[in-house]
Every structure is written in structure tokens, then in C-alpha cells.
Amino acid sequence: MSGTDAGRSAVPLDKLLQARPEQTVVRVFLPREQRDAVLAFEAVVFELEQALWHMREPQAAALKLQWWAEEWNLLAQGAARHPLSHHLPVPARAVPTLRAAAPRWGEAALHLLDDAPAAADFSAQMELLGRFYMPLAEIEAALFGRGSAAAPARAAAFLLREFGRLSLGQAPHRVSVPLHLLARHQLRRESLMEDTPAREALVHDQLEALGRLHTAVSDADLGLPLRLRLRLDRRLAARARRSARPSQVLRDASPVPLATAWHAWRAARGAG
């Protein structure tokens, strides 16, 4: 890769490291020969998540998502355009998966952007999120030779981050709050920005569901960045569940807990 491409790729990586500072610790424990590729993929996923869940202009978000759906296909052809894509390995075994997953991912992303329904319950919520995260997990598995357990792990990380936004006065995305919890606690999605006992009870119930998912997901087949994220999120969600103010615990959580290096080291060794 040229020096120009390397310089351009620094901007997306900077965004990733600013938003997910634990990845700075992860870099230390990644094998040197894998470091650029693994972090490049994490930076791409971050860009895609930001476009789908948080970009304010729907048209701009749609264009970005369509561009990346094309980019996955071009990556399979050896004609990738984005500086980050140039860091991604494309073994021969990955080409059929890239070609099959790219259109499914693009269609799902645009559907979620334009017309995603609110999920009835946690199972429906995971099914909706899986439409976005499962093709990405298949692509990751093909590129790096892993299993596809990344889909539920990334969905769980997204949901936990969304509930951390509540105490900041930011409305959660419509797919992040199941309708049955709103009905149970007699709330509207917009009212979740208000600090009330009903909101805290709803957050606690969602954390209970996330806790069961955290327990069910094995991190054995996850890449180191996501393996560390899952381990940190398990601890954070458990701490929030024990609190009468779970949304405040999520809001005030340190972006890089003191034990991050310890957990990263254990995750890199594959220790429990």
C-alpha cells in the first residue's frame, strides 16, 4: 500500500480509537502481522454503525451504506477503493462469502435505515439487528478464518451503548427498545430521556435480557477487539443491574476501565 493510502487511513482509525479507546489497549496485544487488518475491519464496522444508527441526514447515510455495499463486492474483485479496505486480507476462500453477503448486508442496512419497525420483544430485536450484523460477521469470518459468533456480540454491544445514551438526554434508536418493555412500564420512546423510576425499571429489564445474551455468547471464536468488548460489557451490565440507577451507571462508566489491560491480556491468551 502506498504512503498516501496509509495517511488517508489514519482518519477513520482516529475516529475508532476516540470512540472505542479500549482498542488502543488491544493494539498492544495483537500480533504485529494481524494488527493493521484487524483494526481496519473494526474501523470499517464503526463507520457503518455510525452511518446506520447515528448519522443525522438519512440521504447521506443511505449513500454511505450503498457505497460500502459496493465496496464489499469490489474487495472480492481486488479493486477496493477505501484506504481501510486496502488493509483487509482477502484469501481465496473469502471471495464467495463476500459476493453473497454484500447484497444481503446492503439491503438490510437500507431497510433498517428507511423503514425498520420497532421490535416487539428481545427476540425480535435480535432478529432485526442480526440482519445488519450477521452478514458482517460472515464477512469477518471469511476474511479472518473465524466463526460467525460476532453477530450477537456486536448487537449486544450496540444495545448497551444505546442505553448509556439515555442519561445524556439522547433518544435511543427505535430498534433499541422493545415494545413490550415500553408497554410494561407505560412509557413512550421519547419519554426515556426523562429521569424517572419507570425508565430505570425498563433499563433494568433490558439489562436482564442482555445478561442472558452475554452468558450465551461464547467469545472463543471472536477476534480480540470484540472479545475484549464482550468481557468489559459483561462486567458493566452486571454492575448496572445491581444498581437502582442503571442508566447512570452506564453513563458514568469509564471508557477504559482500570482492568482493561488485564482483560485484554487474558483475552489474547484465550483465558476465561
Side-chain angles (χ1 to χ4, degrees), residues 96-267:
T97 299
L98 280 167
R99 289 175 174 164
R104 286 191 293 110
W105 176 83
E107 181 179 347
L110 291 174
H111 171 70
L112 287 167
L113 179 68
D114 294 334
D115 193 31
D121 54 25
F122 189 74
S123 295
Q125 191 175 40
M126 293 306 297
E127 191 277 329
L128 272 174
L129 293 172
R131 297 179 194 177
F132 177 76
Y133 287 111
M134 183 54 76
L136 285 180
E138 292 170 6
I139 291 170
E140 181 179 5
L143 295 179
F144 297 100
R146 303 187 187 120
S148 57
R154 290 194 190 279
F158 160 72
L159 291 173
L160 194 64
R161 285 193 300 269
E162 282 294 287
F163 276 85
R165 292 158 55 89
L166 292 179
S167 290
L168 301 175
Q170 300 172 352
H173 193 280
R174 62 185 178 277
V175 304
S176 63
V177 185
L179 292 175
H180 82 292
L181 290 186
L182 291 173
R184 177 186 301 170
H185 297 286
Q186 300 181 347
L187 291 168
R188 293 175 294 106
R189 190 172 66 90
E190 296 76 11
S191 63
L192 290 173
M193 291 182 289
E194 302 170 8
D195 186 358
T196 65
R199 182 188 75 179
E200 297 306 308
L202 181 148
V203 173
H204 182 274
D205 287 352
Q206 181 75 342
L207 288 171
E208 289 285 348
L210 276 176
R212 292 190 291 273
L213 178 61
H214 284 153
T215 300
V217 174
S218 169
D219 62 12
D221 261 347
L222 300 179
L224 181 57
L226 191 53
R227 196 183 314 159
L228 175 60
R229 183 70 269 158
L230 179 62
R231 293 182 181 204
L232 294 177
D233 284 353
R234 282 171 176 159
R235 294 169 62 86
L236 174 59
R239 192 165 76 250
R241 284 196 302 273
R242 294 192 295 268
S243 172
R245 302 288 303 279
S247 63
Q248 185 173 331
V249 172
L250 297 177
R251 180 198 67 191
D252 294 342
S254 169
V256 186
L258 290 175
T260 297
W262 164 251
H263 287 293
W265 177 72
R266 289 179 63 79

